[in-house]
Amino acid sequence: MQLQQLAYFVAVAESRHFTHAAERMRVAQPSLSKQIKALETELGAPLFSRARGNVTLTPAGEALLPLARRMLADADTARQEVAELAGLRRGRVRLGATPSLCAGLLADALARFNHAYPGIGLLVEEGGSRDLVRALARGQLDLSLIIMPLQHDDPSLITEEVLRENLVVVSPSHERVRKPYLRIDDLRGRPMVMFRRGYDLREATLAACRQAGFEPRFAVEGGEMDAVLRFVEAGLGVAVVPSMVLDGRPGLAGTPLAPPGLSRTIALAHRRDVEPTRAAQAFRATLLSFVVEAGRDGTLPQGVELIAE
């Protein structure tokens, strides 16, 4: 079994088309088909069903796909690690982060890392924690900033708690709430802007409302962070968001929730079975030193506190 064969297999599985896969891999279609056939012969099972030009995965293909993706990702990591032996002058860090972090303090940490290691490429994938955890498990990310606790304990990941951030009720600044705090029950019957299904903040908000004995009323739902904030600015409703995303948004006002309020923990995660590359380790050290300094200097965003030391 060759890595090239696995790469061809994944390309066909993702495109569901041999010709398109060959174009993507920059190889002649007959050569790609020949390598797929050789892989099927070696494994002793067909990987694709090719009925009437419709390419679908067989059960054997479905079983192989996640393993092939992981093997290719691990091989790529190995190549990166060898390249980095030149002294962190080359390499790449694949980092996952939630939208609120991408819109907040992460940019400054990335800038510090880029200044220290200008030859290391940075690839940032933005998404919800559930998607990021899956990407980590597949070997598609080196590190990820995720929200704790995880929906399901994942023994394949090592997590390191870094920050705790408060959640606030955000509304248009011209409709600023005149109270120092709001209770979750104050949201009963109020139109709310809600994140898409599967989004961590959606689940946290729904759980808090249901614990208070009511179902929230949605004015609009389905957005990511930036869209939700824009919808609130437009006066469609209020939303529960991390306090750090309000920096630089004068059109929005955040009101804390009555103690103990709602908060969430940000952790840095990586796969347990794969040692992070030297570049990833360097980024981890840079990020932690950045947030520790910000915590000690009092320059963390409002509502954010340091956990890491």
Side-chain angles (χ1 to χ4, degrees):
M1 186 185 303
Q2 301 174 11
L3 288 174
Q4 185 182 58
Q5 292 173 333
L6 293 176
Y8 290 168
F9 162 72
V10 170
V12 176
E14 291 179 347
S15 64
R16 293 295 198 268
H17 199 284
F18 276 76
T19 301
H20 293 167
E23 293 172 352
R24 169 177 158 184
M25 301 303 296
R26 298 182 180 179
V27 65
Q29 193 269 331
S31 297
L32 180 141
S33 297
K34 182 178 179 181
Q35 290 297 322
I36 294 292
K37 184 63 177 177
L39 180 60
E40 291 176 322
T41 299
E42 182 175 351
L43 293 175
L47 300 174
F48 296 103
S49 173
R50 305 168 175 84
R52 297 180 180 178
N54 184 27
V55 178
T56 58
L57 285 167
T58 63
E62 293 281 3
L64 177 61
L65 182 57
L67 299 174
R69 282 174 170 156
R70 188 161 178 172
M71 291 169 70
L72 291 169
D74 287 348
D76 188 48
T77 297
R79 283 191 290 267
Q80 292 291 325
E81 181 69 9
V82 172
E84 288 165 13
L85 293 177
L88 288 175
R89 292 192 296 271
R90 294 181 297 165
R92 178 191 64 185
V93 177
R94 301 168 300 172
L95 175 69
T98 62
S100 60
L101 289 170
C102 289
L105 55 78
L106 184 59
D108 291 333
L110 291 173
R112 176 180 290 193
F113 180 80
N114 182 255
H115 179 75
Y117 305 99
I120 305 297
L122 290 166
L123 174 64
V124 178
E125 179 171 330
E126 185 177 4
S129 274
R130 296 182 185 185
D131 295 334
L132 297 175
V133 166
R134 283 192 289 268
L136 276 173
R138 292 172 183 162
Q140 296 169 339
L141 296 174
D142 301 308
L143 300 168
S144 187
L145 288 161
I146 61 174
I147 304 303
M148 300 291 285
L150 299 174
Q151 293 297 316
H152 303 285
D153 289 338
D154 192 335
S156 69
L157 297 182
I158 292 178
T159 59
E160 181 177 11
E161 295 185 351
V162 179
L163 298 168
R164 183 175 296 108
E165 59 178 342
N166 293 327
L167 302 182
V168 299
V169 178
V170 64
S171 57
S173 56
H174 65 274
E175 297 178 8
R176 183 182 300 272
V177 176
R178 301 304 177 186
K179 301 178 181 178
Y181 295 101
L182 286 174
R183 295 175 297 114
I184 284 292
D185 197 59
D186 291 328
L187 303 180
R188 187 190 299 265
R190 292 195 65 172
M192 297 188 66
V193 178
M194 186 55 67
F195 295 92
R196 62 171 171 81
R197 293 184 183 277
Y199 209 82
D200 305 283
L201 284 169
R202 177 190 179 102
E203 306 308 320
T205 303
L206 287 176
C209 292
R210 287 167 180 166
Q211 187 174 5
F214 69 95
E215 287 289 327
R217 173 191 163 200
F218 298 161
V220 60
E221 60 177 316
E224 299 277 354
M225 178 62 68
D226 190 60
V228 165
L229 296 177
R230 293 291 298 274
F231 293 157
V232 173
E233 283 180 322
L236 290 169
V238 300
V240 176
V241 302
S243 57
M244 73 168 67
V245 302
L246 301 184
D247 282 357
R249 288 186 177 264
L252 294 173
T255 304
L257 287 159
L262 293 176
S263 66
R264 62 183 195 171
T265 299
I266 300 166
L268 189 61
H270 66 83
R271 278 173 54 187
R272 185 181 299 275
D273 61 337
V274 177
E275 185 73 14
T277 65
R278 291 183 65 202
Q281 292 176 37
F283 179 80
R284 172 190 172 277
T286 301
L287 175 67
L288 292 180
S289 67
F290 174 80
V291 297
V292 167
E293 289 175 19
R296 291 173 179 170
D297 296 344
T299 56
L300 285 172
Q302 185 176 359
V304 179
E305 63 179 287
L306 180 68
I307 299 176
E309 294 292 345

